[in-house]
């Protein structure tokens, strides 16, 4: 299993643990991340193989100049080493979760394809949702799809999108995304005002997630709702967060918005969701959301945009509300409907609980993934 940049440690862990349960002997090759939090649950091998020099040189100093260049050079070196490693291991299958630089990685994957069949999970049919760290990362994704022996997607919509791009339907399998359970909660800072309700946005902050629309919606809430509700925005910004903060000031809501602009450690995620009364996903693009599959277990109503990645999971009016993208008024109305009606909120909590129980287990997901492996070997 390969996730060089550890883009999705919780997903990697849950899938690898599930695969171990169904009898796969596997090793995850990745980089430093919070995998250690699951040490007691890890029935698979995990190797910190990538970017060890970068991680050492730039430990706690991600913002220093030159890091991207150093990591890029090390990526080429490490992928070259990994090809030699793969030959020595003689695996039955190589499963790639992410390719950090597709235009470069396509050459390495072609070499790996001579070692063993390649399975590639297409988490996003639009690479990086068009919001990558570098424009270079947006190049070459289609070549990766062609190189892989089989592709895994999480939704029927994603499958249809790839078929429309000319990929044979027989080459694509839909394997659902499971609930992401985090380690035991650590103490959280709590709400800005313990008596207030909280709207939570959680996840990496990127343009397609439309935080500006969420701020507008919060400002448009009826005064009686807004006065008793805080907005908590938690996540590492991959865009200029100062523009969003300035927008909050211009909207006159600065004092009610709590900005938690950092990579939220996995150990704090549970406590963070426990403080929320409603969770907002104002995206305009998503195939499937790990944040959504995290949120479900906390039985908290969700207000999201009516796009495939959310609409295939949530039912409007039952688990929360689905609203048009980039529509601050509709988003405000939906948030107010939940927050101002305790009986509706309680009913939606119960519905969310039932929904979470219906999501396939990681053992089921692993069995489907194992079927994919068997189909290419």
């Amino acid at each position: 299993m390969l996730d060089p940049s550890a883009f999705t440690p919780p997903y990697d862990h849950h899938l690898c643990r599930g695969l171990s349960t169904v009898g796969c002997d596997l090793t995850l090759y990745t980089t430093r991340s919070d995998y250690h939090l699951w040490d007691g649950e890890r029935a698979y091998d995990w190797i910190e193989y990538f970017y060890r020099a970068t991680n050492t040189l730039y430990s706690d100093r991600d913002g220093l100049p030159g890091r991207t260049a150093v990591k890029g050079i090390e990526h080429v070196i490490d992928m070259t080493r990994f090809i030699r490693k793969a030959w020595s291991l003689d695996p039955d299958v190589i499963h790639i979760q992410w390719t950090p630089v597709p235009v470069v990685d396509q050459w390495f994957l072609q070499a790996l394809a001579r070692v063993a069949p390649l399975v590639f999970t297409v988490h996003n049919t639009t690479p990086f949702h068009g919001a990558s760290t570098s424009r270079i990362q947006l190049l070459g994704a289609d070549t990766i799809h062609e190189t892989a022996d089989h592709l895994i997607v999480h939704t029927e919509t994603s499958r249809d999108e790839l078929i429309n791009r000319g990929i044979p339907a027989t080459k694509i399998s839909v394997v659902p995304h499971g609930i992401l359970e985090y380690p035991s909660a650590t103490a959280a800072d709590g709400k800005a005002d313990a008596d207030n309700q909280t709207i939570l946005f959680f996840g990496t902050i990127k343009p397609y997630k439309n935080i500006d629309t969420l701020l507008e919606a919060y400002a448009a809430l009826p005064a009686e709702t807004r006065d008793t509700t805080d907005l908590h925005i938690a996540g590492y910004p991959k865009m200029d967060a100062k523009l969003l903060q300035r927008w909050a000031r211009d909207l006159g809501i600065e004092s009610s918005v709590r900005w938690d602009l950092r990579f939220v450690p996995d150990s704090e995620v549970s406590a963070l969701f426990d403080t929320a009364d409603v969770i907002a996903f104002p995206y305009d693009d998503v195939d499937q959301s790990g944040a959504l599959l995290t949120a479900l277990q906390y039985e908290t109503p969700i207000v999201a945009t009516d796009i495939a990645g959310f609409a295939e999971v949530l039912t409007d009016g039952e688990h929360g509300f689905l609203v048009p993208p980039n529509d601050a008024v509709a988003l405000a109305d939906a948030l107010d409907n939940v927050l101002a009606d305790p009986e509706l909120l309680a009913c939606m909590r119960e519905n969310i609980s039932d929904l979470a129980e219906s999501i396939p287990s990681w053992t089921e997901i692993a069995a489907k993934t194992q079927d994919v492996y068997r189909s290419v070997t």
Side-chain angles (χ1 to χ4, degrees), residues 1 8-21 23-30 34-48:
M1 189 81 72
T8 49
Y11 178 88
D12 296 343
H13 164 71
H14 284 80
L15 178 59
C16 289
R17 185 178 62 179
L19 287 167
S20 297
T21 300
C24 291
D25 179 11
L26 65 91
T27 302
L28 172 63
Y29 289 85
T30 184
D34 283 351
Y35 292 101
H36 66 88
L37 295 170
W38 289 285
D39 279 350
E41 308 173 17
R42 207 164 60 215
Y44 58 92
D45 292 327
W46 169 87
I47 295 179
E48 181 189 340

Side-chain angles (χ1 to χ4, degrees), residues 79-101:
M79 286 298 294
T80 302
R81 289 192 309 118
F82 184 75
I83 291 170
R84 294 198 296 268
K85 181 71 173 178
W87 277 110
S88 70
L89 294 171
D90 190 26
D92 296 305
V93 176
I94 299 173
H95 187 166
I96 299 101
Q97 291 299 327
W98 295 94
T99 52
V101 193

Side-chain angles (χ1 to χ4, degrees), residues 50-59 61-62 64-78 101:
F50 293 90
Y51 319 126
R52 285 178 289 187
T54 302
N55 291 338
T56 299
L57 289 170
Y58 292 89
S59 178
R61 297 178 293 177
D62 284 358
L64 286 181
R67 182 181 184 277
T68 300
V70 171
K71 185 176 180 180
I73 293 170
E74 194 172 11
H75 181 72
V76 173
I77 295 170
D78 288 344
V101 193

